[in-house]
Amino acid sequence: MPKKPSGVQREPCESAARSKMRLTQQQLEAHLWGAANILRGKTAGQDYKNYILSLMFYKRLCDQWENEADEAIAELERQQGKQFNDAQKAVFRARGEHRFNIPDGSRWGDVLAASTNLGEKLTQAMRAVSSANEELRGVFTVDWNQPAPDGSGKPLIPNEVVHALIQHFDNHDLSNASVPADVLGHAYEYLIKKFADDAGAKAGEFFTPPEVVDTLVRILEPQPGDTVYDPTCGSGGMLVHSADYLRENGHHATSAQYFGQEMNWGNAAIGKINSVLHGLEATISAGVSTITDPAFKDAEGKVRKFSLVLANFPFSDEFWWLKPEQQTDDKKKKDKLKKETFSKEGYKDPFGRFGRGTPFRAPPAGYGDYAFILHILASLTDSGRAGVVCPQGVLFRGQPEVEEETGEFDDDGNPVIKRRKADDEHLIRKALLESRLIDAVISLPLNVFYGAGVPACLVILKKQRPPERHENVLLVYAARHYRELSNQNELRPQDVMRMLVHVQAYGDASEVPALVAQHSQRIREQINAREHDEVERLEAEYAAVAARLAKLETQVAEARAELPKIASKTAREKAEVALAKLEAQRDKVVAKIAERDEKIAEARRRAEDDRRDVAQVGTELGALYGDPDELLKHARVVGIDEIEENEFNLNIPRYVDTFEPEPRIEVPDALKALRSAERALGNAEAALMKLLKGVGYGAD
């Protein structure tokens, strides 16, 4: 690894990036993703995301500390009308007030000045920062000095790689002077999304698609004074989107309070950083299960109540009732723990969320879905509301109580009837509906979540519902509309608009025109912004390639201009070979630029399609609510009495016509197709007979 020349030693905390060059969001995103490319494949699995995100945050904290010190010194100089010398600046710098404390010896310049054992130095610096700030406890979970698994004593991440990362991050200042908080927050979310795309199935552990989160947030409409809670918060997207909604409506993010719990330490660290970067001041607890060890409790030891809960919990967790450390592969141990944890009445919950003392039975051990749903209900205030991502199985799993013949007969010859008890999940769903807690259910398209191939839905729960809705449940079939991508499906802005109009209108056709107008305008602006961001992002991503092309074009032009001036045949031949090499290099770069231009063109085409579709969807929604029969194929307000007749089964196709009719074919077209098929059959038979004759079969 190259070392600094002797005598050229930076002062601690003085970065090469002090120029404070203003970065666009897209330039910052390209810079941050470039760091990910340096580290990819050099850590265990997908853990590299935690390294990159924590290093970015550490650099931000250090740069902002320096920026705050510079601003404070400049203000003192202005007030006193004189310039301070370096010694005076050092004193004022140490005394200055800062949002976060960065201890001496743990600042960016201290790490930058080191040349060996960089992993150890970086880990120590991050831990010192975490220890010095209560709000940052648990943020820096990675060990840059983790030993390689081969027992060699060498670090898993070589010193050279850590050096390359530090040099990469040192290229840009990340303080407010260069990167405003909102720009850095958006770039951080972009990084999380990129890591999710890269992680595939495992991304579901920490990331919910933003379109799904946006739908839930806009249905529940966070308000100033709300306490917002996510019991399985992952990277904190639900909390951040709630704050964004408040800002969009003219409120400060901190006009609400934010709380989250996440079992995975690494994901919780990402969520904490996300919270700090977005200015939420969220309280996020980590390391234990929300079901076995809820982090937020009241003075009586019961779960704390919140006005708004958003959640995307692990689907159908088989061992939801076990603490993380108990979830081993030892089946006998699990069976023993189950006997200790479950009684005849079900799970022995010390927090009173289900079982005896509530209208709900304990969830069965096999599926954890209702354990999370009941925890969410127990966490709601008397006027609280919740939006929950669930597997669609919660809508229909579990059988009601039935009487069935055993095949035997009594002494009088009558068949013996056996009564089979209702399943627990059926009884819980029945209790939810009888308590009038389910306000709406939305079925989603397949494959919109990372690693979750099962059909999913959104369940909206409300403790206090308007009188006109009290005896009804809105069911929305939104599975038809999405954009098909190579690895998964994506909800488009217009698909989100469909769901929002259905839920907010709640069957009232008079509400639809205003809702369509409101959402159409907002979504067009959203599409325009996304198009701009994507084009700018591609241009930033290919900026180095464009610069390389400009340089090569100049070199090629200069080489061509020089050729006629060369008198020597040998020298000319060498110059022609050199020119050919330059032209080959240029052609490769031109191909990369063509690749960029095609991606930009595709982004513009997609945006134009979406803008057109928004107008079309608005028209369709207006027509739907004028045609009750057609509306039944998309959404329906269903009375509780009808749901009871269906034995409290909420499977949406029972109530909404999800059948896709065969396309209508006109009789002349059908006859034309039939004649064409008959001609093709005759030609095939003639060709077959010719072949058979050629090999000696068939009559003359």
Side-chain angles (χ1 to χ4, degrees), residues 33-52 142-149 154-165 195 198:
W33 190 241
N37 290 331
I38 292 172
L39 189 60
R40 185 182 289 106
K42 299 177 179 68
T43 64
Q46 294 298 324
D47 286 347
Y48 81 104
K49 72 178 184 301
N50 300 81
Y51 287 86
I52 295 299
V142 297
D143 181 1
W144 290 87
N145 200 40
Q146 179 184 350
K154 295 180 180 179
L156 177 65
I157 305 175
N159 201 62
E160 293 78 7
V161 175
V162 182
H163 176 264
L165 280 169
F195 282 124
D198 208 31

Side-chain angles (χ1 to χ4, degrees), residues 41 73 82 177 207 307 350 369 375 386 407 481 652:
I73 290 170
K82 64 178 182 179
F207 185 78
S307 59
D369 304 318
H375 168 80
H481 307 292
I652 290 180

Side-chain angles (χ1 to χ4, degrees), residues 3 26 51 64 92 113 173 222 269 381 482 490 492 509 584 598 651:
K3 295 183 179 180
Q26 294 74 31
Y51 287 86
Q64 184 57 18
F92 288 125
D173 173 67
T381 61
Y482 56 88
E490 176 187 69
R492 301 163 297 179
E598 176 53 35
N651 194 21

Side-chain angles (χ1 to χ4, degrees), residues 501 504-518 625:
V501 169
Q504 292 170 347
Y506 214 87
D508 186 349
S510 66
E511 297 280 347
V512 172
L515 288 169
V516 166
Q518 170 195 332
Y625 280 85

Side-chain angles (χ1 to χ4, degrees), residues 398-404 418-423 426-427 430 647:
Q399 297 296 316
E401 182 178 82
V402 295
E403 292 183 348
E404 52 190 11
K418 179 181 178 181
R419 177 171 295 176
R420 186 170 64 81
K421 291 182 178 180
D423 294 334
H426 168 83
L427 292 172
K430 177 174 180 287
E647 298 176 323

Side-chain angles (χ1 to χ4, degrees), residues 204 207-217 219-220 230-232 238 309-316 368-370 372-373 376 386-395 440-445 448-450 452 454-461 491:
F207 185 78
T208 301
E211 299 80 14
V212 175
V213 181
D214 187 57
T215 302
L216 283 176
V217 167
I219 288 172
L220 297 172
D230 184 346
T232 53
M238 301 266 192
V309 181
L310 297 143
N312 178 12
F313 56 75
F315 284 6
S316 304
D369 304 318
Y370 273 112
F372 285 100
I373 291 172
I376 289 165
V388 192
V389 182
C390 301
Q392 287 190 26
V394 303
L395 305 178
V441 178
I442 306 168
S443 68
L444 296 174
V448 294
F449 295 95
Y450 292 90
V454 299
C457 62
L458 305 180
V459 177
I460 309 302
L461 305 166
L491 289 171

